[in-house]
């Protein structure tokens, strides 16, 4: 083999190696090690451009992929990409990222601060690997009448109104529309993705987060479904950001009934049940802290070539 051919082959091999990105595949908000919502996690992402991150997220194909970089002030900077766009924050991808770093020995149990486009947010890693994430304090961004929502989810407006609770947009990092439905109607939802995408685009929303309250003797507070077709997510099985918003919603409207915190089930309709814990702390001025937690488990590794 000639020197030139060896040089070209060696150079090409080294170039391929430099373009190979490891993306960890992680299920977040698992229930006893099963179910959960998959997210991609890319560590050491400091030198990746936004275009490269988006291409990696497309290759991974999950609803969100988290990219972890160094930060001069916070412990880490995290950015989040769907298969179509960047979003300011993602709860289940944050959980996946910190669980991965914990399992790889990059961090130990303790408290950390992540920089996101939703702000500086605290993350606590407990000794058993349970991750608790602080979210932004809630912003209450308005309400919609049931008639406006009925066509989006295929539930009659009179049925929606019978819950006695409002349809309200709340952001704890992302603007989510919280939609209560009466017990027994959650699994009947049939989303019109085109209408919902247009509605979210018009009103600057990320998702529609529907829930039904569980029976009082249940270990669960509510069962939930989340739809974000505008961002390429027809439905996902666990949504950390919307769970924080829902905790604030329930605290606002049914506060005294849930002083011990919340446990949400999501993904039942997808045969991928997830469990999400949430709590809020309040003072005289209102809610002072929003916390969302869960477990995560690595399920694989995907190598992406840019």
């Amino acid at each position: 083999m000639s020197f030139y051919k060896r040089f070209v082959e060696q150079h090409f091999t080294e170039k391929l190696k430099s373009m190979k990105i490891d993306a960890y595949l992680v299920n977040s908000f698992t229930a006893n090690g099963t179910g959960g919502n998959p997210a991609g996690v890319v560590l050491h992402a400091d030198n990746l451009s936004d275009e490269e991150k988006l291409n990696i997220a497309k290759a991974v194909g999950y609803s969100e992929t988290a990219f972890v970089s160094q930060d001069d002030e916070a412990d880490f900077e995290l950015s989040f990409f769907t298969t179509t766009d960047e979003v300011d924050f993602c709860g289940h991808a944050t959980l996946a990222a910190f669980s991965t770093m914990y399992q790889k020995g990059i961090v130990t149990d303790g408290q950390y601060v992540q920089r996101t486009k939703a702000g500086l947010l605290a993350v606590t890693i407990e000794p058993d690997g349970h991750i608790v994430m602080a979210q932004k304090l809630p912003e209450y961004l308005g309400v919609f009448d049931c008639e406006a929502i009925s066509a989006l989810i295929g539930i009659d407006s009179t049925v929606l109104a019978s819950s006695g609770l409002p349809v309200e947009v709340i952001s704890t990092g992302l603007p989510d529309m919280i939609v209560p439905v009466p017990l027994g109607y959650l699994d009947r939802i049939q989303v019109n993705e085109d209408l919902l995408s247009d509605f979210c685009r018009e009103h600057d929303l990320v998702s529609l987060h529907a829930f039904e309250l569980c029976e009082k003797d249940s270990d669960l507070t509510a069962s939930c479904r989340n739809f974000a077709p505008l961002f390429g997510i027809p439905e996902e099985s666990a949504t950390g950001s919307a769970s924080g918003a829902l905790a604030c919603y329930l605290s606002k409207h049914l506060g005294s009934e849930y002083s011990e915190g919340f446990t949400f089930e999501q993904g039942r309709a997808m045969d991928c049940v997830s469990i999400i814990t949430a709590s809020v702390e309040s003072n005289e001025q209102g809610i002072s802290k929003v916390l969302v937690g869960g477990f995560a488990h690595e399920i694989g590794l995907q190598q992406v070539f840019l």
Side-chain angles (χ1 to χ4, degrees), residues 204-276:
D204 195 24
L205 306 176
V206 168
S207 79
L208 184 155
H209 194 72
F211 76 94
E212 61 181 14
L213 292 173
C214 296
E215 301 285 0
K216 293 296 184 181
D217 59 352
S218 172
D219 293 333
L220 300 171
T221 308
S223 294
C224 309
R225 298 180 71 181
N226 186 276
F227 310 92
L230 181 61
F231 291 89
I233 309 170
E235 182 172 1
E236 67 176 359
S237 54
T239 314
S241 54
S243 295
L246 177 56
C248 294
Y249 175 99
L250 293 175
S251 180
K252 175 182 177 181
H253 297 290
L254 301 170
S256 60
E257 298 182 35
Y258 298 103
S259 58
E260 300 301 317
F262 311 93
T263 302
F264 302 132
E265 172 196 67
Q266 190 177 328
R268 184 180 67 206
M270 304 171 68
D271 294 322
C272 190
V273 174
S274 307
I275 296 295
I276 306 164

Side-chain angles (χ1 to χ4, degrees), residues 21-25 40-42 56 60 65 300-304:
I21 304 297
D22 288 339
Y24 296 97
L25 311 179
V41 176
V42 175
I56 293 168
V60 171
T65 295
L301 176 69
Q302 180 174 342
Q303 294 182 328
V304 180

Side-chain angles (χ1 to χ4, degrees), residues 125-177:
I125 304 175
E126 297 175 350
D128 62 355
H130 186 257
I131 311 291
V132 179
M133 305 166 289
Q135 297 188 355
K136 287 184 65 176
L137 297 183
E139 297 178 80
Y140 301 96
L141 302 175
V143 298
F144 292 101
D145 58 39
C146 294
E147 287 77 11
I149 308 306
S150 175
L152 305 180
I153 62 174
I155 302 292
D156 189 87
S157 60
T158 58
V159 173
L160 293 178
S162 70
S163 74
L165 292 167
V167 174
E168 185 168 15
V169 178
I170 300 176
S171 174
T172 55
L174 297 174
D176 296 298
M177 180 168 59

Side-chain angles (χ1 to χ4, degrees), residues 43-303:
L43 305 176
H44 314 298
D46 304 72
N47 296 321
L48 294 174
S49 67
D50 286 352
E51 182 180 2
E52 289 170 331
K53 291 178 181 179
L54 181 58
N55 287 336
I56 293 168
K58 288 179 179 178
V60 171
Y62 290 155
S63 57
E64 279 93 2
T65 295
F67 296 85
V68 182
S69 303
Q70 300 178 67
D71 191 87
D72 292 335
E73 298 176 358
D75 294 299
F76 301 97
E77 180 183 11
L78 269 70
S79 56
F80 308 96
F81 284 76
T82 72
T83 57
T84 62
D85 215 337
E86 183 178 10
V87 293
D88 290 349
F89 176 72
C90 176
H92 85 276
T94 293
L95 174 57
F98 278 86
S99 180
T100 298
M101 289 191 285
Y102 180 64
Q103 297 298 328
K104 304 299 179 189
I106 297 172
V107 296
T108 60
D109 56 280
Q111 294 187 330
Y112 299 89
V113 175
Q114 62 167 333
R115 183 185 301 279
T116 74
K117 287 193 172 180
L120 294 172
L121 302 172
V123 177
T124 300
I125 304 175
E126 297 175 350
D128 62 355
H130 186 257
I131 311 291
V132 179
M133 305 166 289
Q135 297 188 355
K136 287 184 65 176
L137 297 183
E139 297 178 80
Y140 301 96
L141 302 175
V143 298
F144 292 101
D145 58 39
C146 294
E147 287 77 11
I149 308 306
S150 175
L152 305 180
I153 62 174
I155 302 292
D156 189 87
S157 60
T158 58
V159 173
L160 293 178
S162 70
S163 74
L165 292 167
V167 174
E168 185 168 15
V169 178
I170 300 176
S171 174
T172 55
L174 297 174
D176 296 298
M177 180 168 59
I178 308 300
V179 179
V181 299
L183 183 64
Y185 281 86
L186 188 69
D187 292 343
R188 302 188 193 185
I189 288 175
Q190 295 184 345
V191 168
N192 185 316
E193 293 186 8
D194 291 336
L195 287 181
L196 180 55
S197 293
D198 290 343
F199 190 91
C200 289
R201 186 181 296 109
E202 179 183 356
H203 298 285
D204 195 24
L205 306 176
V206 168
S207 79
L208 184 155
H209 194 72
F211 76 94
E212 61 181 14
L213 292 173
C214 296
E215 301 285 0
K216 293 296 184 181
D217 59 352
S218 172
D219 293 333
L220 300 171
T221 308
S223 294
C224 309
R225 298 180 71 181
N226 186 276
F227 310 92
L230 181 61
F231 291 89
I233 309 170
E235 182 172 1
E236 67 176 359
S237 54
T239 314
S241 54
S243 295
L246 177 56
C248 294
Y249 175 99
L250 293 175
S251 180
K252 175 182 177 181
H253 297 290
L254 301 170
S256 60
E257 298 182 35
Y258 298 103
S259 58
E260 300 301 317
F262 311 93
T263 302
F264 302 132
E265 172 196 67
Q266 190 177 328
R268 184 180 67 206
M270 304 171 68
D271 294 322
C272 190
V273 174
S274 307
I275 296 295
I276 306 164
T277 60
S279 62
V280 299
E281 297 179 13
S282 302
N283 56 31
E284 296 80 6
Q285 284 74 44
I287 292 176
S288 58
K289 188 176 291 187
V290 182
L291 300 172
V292 173
F295 289 94
H297 295 273
E298 184 180 330
I299 56 175
L301 176 69
Q302 180 174 342
Q303 294 182 328

